[in-house]
Amino acid sequence: MNLLLKHSFFLVVLVLFSVNSFAQKLAVKNQTVEYQYNPIGLDSAVPRFSWALSTSLKNTLQASYELRVGTDSVKLKAGKEMFWTSGTRQTGQSVLVNYGGPALQSDTRYFWQVRVRDNHGNTSAWSAVHFWQMGLKAADWTSEWITVEGKDTSKASPYFRKDIQITKPIRRATAYLTANGLYEAHINGSRVGDHYFAPGWTSYKNRLQYQAYDLSALLKKGNNAIGIVLGDGWYKGRIGFDGQQKYYGDQRAFLLQIVVEYADGSKETLKTDSGWKYQYGAILSSGIYDGEVYDSRRVLKGWLDGRVFKHDAVPLLGTVSPPVKKHEQFKAIRIFKTPKGETVADFGQNLVGWEQIKASGPAGTRITISHAEVLDKEGNFYTQNLRSAKSQNTYVLNGEGTQVFEPHFTYHGFRYIKIEGYPGVLEPSALTAIALYSDMKQNGTFVTSDTLLNKLQRNILWGQKGNFLDVPTDCPQRDERLGWTGDAQAFFSTAAYNMDVAGFFTKWLKDLAADQYADGSVPHVIPNVLGSGQGGATGWADASTIIPWGMYENYGDKRILEEQYASMKAWEGYMIAQSRNDLWATGFHFGDWLFYRPNDDTEGRSAVTDKYLIAQTFFAHSTQLLINTAKVLGKKEDVEVYTALLAKIKAAFQREYMTSTGRLVSGTQTAYVLALHFDMLPEALRAQAAERLVRNVESYGNHLTTGFLGTPYLCQVLSRFGYTDVAYKLLFQESYPSWLYPVKMGATTIWERWDGIKEDGTFQNDGMNSFNHYAYGAIGEWMYSHIAGIKLSAPGYKQFMIAPEPGGKLTSAKGTLMTPYGLIKSEWKIENGKIILDISIPANTTASLLLPKAAQKEVKENGVSLKTEASNAAGKDLQLSRGSGDYHFEYGF
């Protein structure tokens, strides 16, 4: 190669390298439609797109984007035959961007790409091609419901089957499926999908979800056998306090429609109609509370004719929430004999799901599995806190070698199982516990230098996993498992730090609005299975305002406010109707549920807070959230009306519950916490109220006394008024009542009561003593927002703050949060008289940083000394503003 050619070669390589480096400066990642990756069965007429920016350049913001949509992925990638293009939009919006093209067609797959330009002048390549597939509109459903012949009186699960013929090669096939009850589907012997407890629990009389499944890999040319098995589920099974069977209906049935697109471009719709056969099989019974009986000797034969079922006109809606799936699996850490001689296995974690068991033995061998959360003081299997829930699975062997069993339409809350009737020697390898919960991605992590605090965080997360099984249940083990509104609103902020709950709560809020009473009262549980008149309790019904606003704050979801506004306003109207002279002091309320109350309270140490004082504070809070929502939605008249009302509500509170010096009629922690958190007191009297709160905490030996309504805000209020040191004392308190007491007692989830197990090993009230109850885990919000210091400043974390507050005995802490824009990280550690902070700010966002006690100190940022404002008083926090990127700070502490 001569010199000229050599020079030209290296010049080309250099140019190619430069082009490649340029292209790598900006890219698009994390593409979703309606919070989902490549969803099928979407029924939103205006889907919303989200994406995040990937770049190594600091201070990067999106300057514009361009979206394009097509019906052919290859042509879309080539930029041909666009169905819709957005054109270049000069905006930084990259989260929940509305589709703006022609009307979308049912059962049609659309492909999309986006490219962005940043504030540095870089333009990304077109993103990877993603897709979404539309579901079916009401008019598209031409299938008929199928059920058993006559009345559905059997406890056994009916198995349905039908053969269908596929005459041509398939390009794509989609099944749309729903049921009264729960269903599992199989095609040619293979399970359809990995969803459990479908179609999910909704307000069945008002809305029923359907699921969409891609059958392209399951259907084949020629004959195909389709099987459907039904369970009672929440629809027909025992549910609610009175053990009511068949709350929603008594006839299990299913509806299936398969749309097949052939390789030649033609389409065919296969519908459920006459011709289905059914028989009762191995599942002899299966209920949410009582468990499942499965007899593997039962052979399906003598098929009967199913019948078409006339179903009530209930809207069929595509699923927006994440499906329940299998997650973590646990092997038995030990198998032992209790003092009573029972065989018990310990999985080491209180979880929600079921066991899988392997066994071989003679036909007819009956293995019974019972479930429990804890052992009693003597080490025996304890089930009294399950109340009437049997929570037991029974498997009958068929004698044909090693069999593997797990249930179908039930779940249990347990750490321990009792095994009866197992043939031969039971080895740990024969047992596996499988956790099931809604398929929410974990988007937050929190870890510190303290082992107990880390266990607390783990318990909070497992409490959420166990109780977020399609609806936010209060507990997963006893004869309850209901969607209590008070628990949900108290825990929402912590839930959103831990996991992506956007789709989960979008679905649940639709049921809240559907089940809301005509007078605006909100039922205690959603879906409502308690009947009429069971609602309107302060702090519970306020889920109707607190959670929609929380969704907007955490995800930037304005649509949820639009969809829930009528419900929010109706709840406000109910409170107004119940009040007199702007004071709400009537009706039933749960109050500060499960507050501290000593057994033999001769000195009045029980922390009783006036229920109507609490009601007035939440009346004000919901009114404020309604004002906030009306502002976002541009409802100026409502803003004016409710702003005037809010002033009257607070004035009524001050007249009724506050002395002229700012003392409250209830001197409890909860009373002062709610009054301060919701700004019920005149500004001039807030500081003294905070002092009263601190003195109260100290009078209880630095213990909390709050219940479900006061606990979420306790440490938040203390930090707001400059008492983070007191918040740390409460957090690190190890004796009852405290967050760490259950941890010290061996808890692996959050307890319902502060002293579910007493120091002497005995239990609290058997009638209400869950060991997996997430409400008190609401302290997680303070741990993320004050210890790690991650706080949102604008909807969806478009702007946020990093303001860690080291304290207590901690020497380090790290919090991460995957936001719609990308990963936020806040990590600090104290060593050798210095504090070291590492902070990550995702692209297309900006952050305010508050470096603790950094004012007038030499602060190094990425190794370079900062010039700090001399006007900042020594020992104060140093405030900085930063764009995207990674930052490393060090200074003396």
Side-chain angles (χ1 to χ4, degrees), residues 543-710:
S544 60
T545 56
I546 292 171
I547 296 179
W549 183 252
M551 289 281 287
Y552 173 68
E553 285 192 309
N554 281 275
Y555 302 106
D557 194 340
K558 182 179 176 181
R559 185 179 293 178
I560 201 77
L561 296 182
E562 295 169 342
E563 293 177 343
Q564 297 297 132
Y565 189 70
S567 168
M568 298 169 75
K569 198 170 177 178
W571 168 239
E572 180 75 15
Y574 177 84
M575 290 187 289
I576 293 170
Q578 303 304 308
S579 64
R580 299 291 180 270
N581 298 320
D582 308 306
L583 187 72
W584 186 19
T586 59
F588 169 81
H589 300 286
F590 292 103
D592 191 29
W593 190 249
L594 294 181
F595 57 88
Y596 173 69
R597 43 190 169 183
N599 288 332
D600 187 16
D601 188 13
T602 59
E603 298 182 7
R605 300 299 285 163
S606 294
V608 181
T609 308
D610 187 295
K611 291 184 178 183
Y612 296 128
L613 180 153
I614 294 173
Q616 193 71 1
T617 65
F618 276 93
F619 187 10
H621 184 46
S622 279
T623 304
Q624 181 65 69
L625 296 181
L626 194 58
I627 294 168
N628 297 348
T629 302
K631 287 179 179 178
V632 171
L633 301 181
K635 299 180 181 294
K636 295 181 180 179
E637 290 185 6
D638 283 357
V639 172
E640 293 175 1
V641 169
Y642 294 119
T643 299
L645 174 63
L646 181 59
K648 294 177 182 178
I649 293 170
K650 291 184 178 181
F653 175 89
Q654 293 165 19
R655 288 194 306 269
E656 187 76 8
Y657 302 114
M658 188 189 80
T659 69
S660 59
T661 60
R663 183 171 63 85
L664 299 180
V665 296
S666 291
T668 62
Q669 292 173 22
T670 290
Y672 282 103
V673 163
L674 296 180
L676 289 167
H677 193 68
F678 299 148
D679 294 332
M680 304 301 292
L681 307 178
E683 192 164 353
L685 292 176
R686 292 174 188 173
Q688 64 81 33
E691 289 177 9
R692 292 177 191 270
L693 171 61
V694 170
R695 289 199 297 271
N696 183 288
V697 170
E698 291 171 346
S699 75
Y700 284 91
N702 292 318
H703 289 85
L704 52 76
T705 62
T706 49
F708 277 28
L709 298 184

Side-chain angles (χ1 to χ4, degrees), residues 444-460:
T445 64
F446 177 83
V447 63
T448 74
S449 55
D450 187 79
T451 302
L452 287 180
L453 205 56
N454 294 340
K455 287 182 179 178
L456 173 63
Q457 166 60 18
R458 188 179 189 277
N459 291 0
I460 293 169

Side-chain angles (χ1 to χ4, degrees), residues 332-353:
I333 61 174
R334 62 182 180 127
I335 298 174
F336 60 96
K337 291 285 187 180
T338 68
K340 289 183 177 180
E342 298 166 323
T343 301
V344 172
D346 177 7
F347 293 101
Q349 173 63 51
N350 193 2
L351 65 119
V352 174

Side-chain angles (χ1 to χ4, degrees), residues 248-261:
Y248 291 102
D250 59 4
Q251 197 79 23
R252 291 168 294 185
F254 71 94
L255 181 71
L256 171 65
Q257 192 155 306
I258 301 174
V259 181
V260 182
E261 182 181 340

